[in-house]
Amino acid sequence: MDRREIAAVLAYIGRLDPRTIRTGTDDARDQIAQWQELLDDVPFATAHGWDVREAIRSHVLDSPYPILPVDIARRWRAHRRERLDRHTDPTPAADPDDPAAWRAELLRSRNAVAAGMAAPSTHRQIASSGRPRDVEERLREIGSCIPPAIRAELARYRPTRATREAAVAEGVPDALGVRCNWCHAPVGSPCRQRRASPDGTARGNAVRANPHPSRVDLAATLTGRHRAA
């Protein structure tokens, strides 16, 4: 604040607390000089939440002691600290390969928030008020999070999933979407080889490359029912 603003502040304090009024010309001049030196970096008011008159009024209501310039300065520092605590640095538009420009832009952003010239920047995910969209709508919009080339490379490491995806893409019923009545493989698991032993019990646990025919028929039957319904 400049000397004119300090004089206005002291006049406002005098209306609320007459104990602070200086009647002598020299005393008033010295008081203005002292307050201006201590409050030189404190703004009179900002566009985002700070008004020195609010700080003065709060002190008069809360404290029995006359207000001092350090009381205002401490309130301003607490206000500035609270704003910076709510601020999340936005990604600078400067070239990331230019550290000096990157840092300078971050400092300008923080200084603007601290001085009350800009509002704190919060996370968009936290501040967003939009309602969540349907999952299928999002999938239609973004497609797959795995690029096609990467998906093709992964196919050999997860053959079961690749077979299911290929079946769905071709419009063929997903056999692994139902339980196998022959080998009792659960939904999503590949079929297992079952060989009958001489005593009539089933043996073998090797994974089959293709589902059992009865499982394929069951998936086709259920898919046909769903489509008919």
Side-chain angles (χ1 to χ4, degrees), residues 85-123:
D85 288 342
R86 292 189 289 115
H87 178 64
T88 301
D89 291 320
T91 303
D95 185 355
D97 294 330
D98 187 350
W102 184 279
R103 183 174 181 273
E105 187 171 343
L106 283 177
L107 288 177
R108 285 196 299 271
S109 173
R110 293 178 186 177
N111 290 336
V113 172
M117 295 184 293
S121 175
T122 56
H123 286 293

Side-chain angles (χ1 to χ4, degrees), residues 73-195:
R74 288 168 183 165
R75 286 179 179 267
W76 163 247
R77 291 183 179 183
H79 173 79
R80 183 177 60 182
R81 186 164 52 249
E82 187 271 337
R83 290 175 58 81
L84 288 175
D85 288 342
R86 292 189 289 115
H87 178 64
T88 301
D89 291 320
T91 303
D95 185 355
D97 294 330
D98 187 350
W102 184 279
R103 183 174 181 273
E105 187 171 343
L106 283 177
L107 288 177
R108 285 196 299 271
S109 173
R110 293 178 186 177
N111 290 336
V113 172
M117 295 184 293
S121 175
T122 56
H123 286 293
R124 292 182 180 179
Q125 291 83 351
I126 298 176
S128 176
S129 59
R131 64 179 184 179
R133 293 176 296 172
D134 185 76
V135 175
E136 294 184 359
E137 179 184 346
R138 293 190 181 187
L139 289 177
R140 285 194 299 267
E141 179 180 337
I142 66 174
S144 173
C145 59
I146 303 177
I150 302 300
R151 186 181 295 277
E153 288 293 326
L154 292 175
R156 55 181 173 175
Y157 300 105
R158 47 179 192 177
T160 301
R161 183 181 181 91
T163 301
R164 298 188 68 183
E165 292 176 349
V168 173
E170 296 175 3
V172 178
D174 180 14
L176 271 62
V178 297
R179 181 177 181 272
C180 182
N181 293 330
W182 176 257
C183 66
H184 308 298
V187 175
S189 298
C191 288
R192 301 281 178 170
Q193 294 283 7
R194 294 186 64 197
R195 295 189 298 272

Side-chain angles (χ1 to χ4, degrees), residues 24-42:
T25 303
D26 293 338
D27 291 341
R29 185 182 299 110
D30 292 342
Q31 186 185 32
I32 292 175
Q34 179 195 33
W35 280 60
Q36 200 275 327
E37 183 174 354
L38 293 173
L39 301 180
D40 180 64
D41 61 341
V42 178

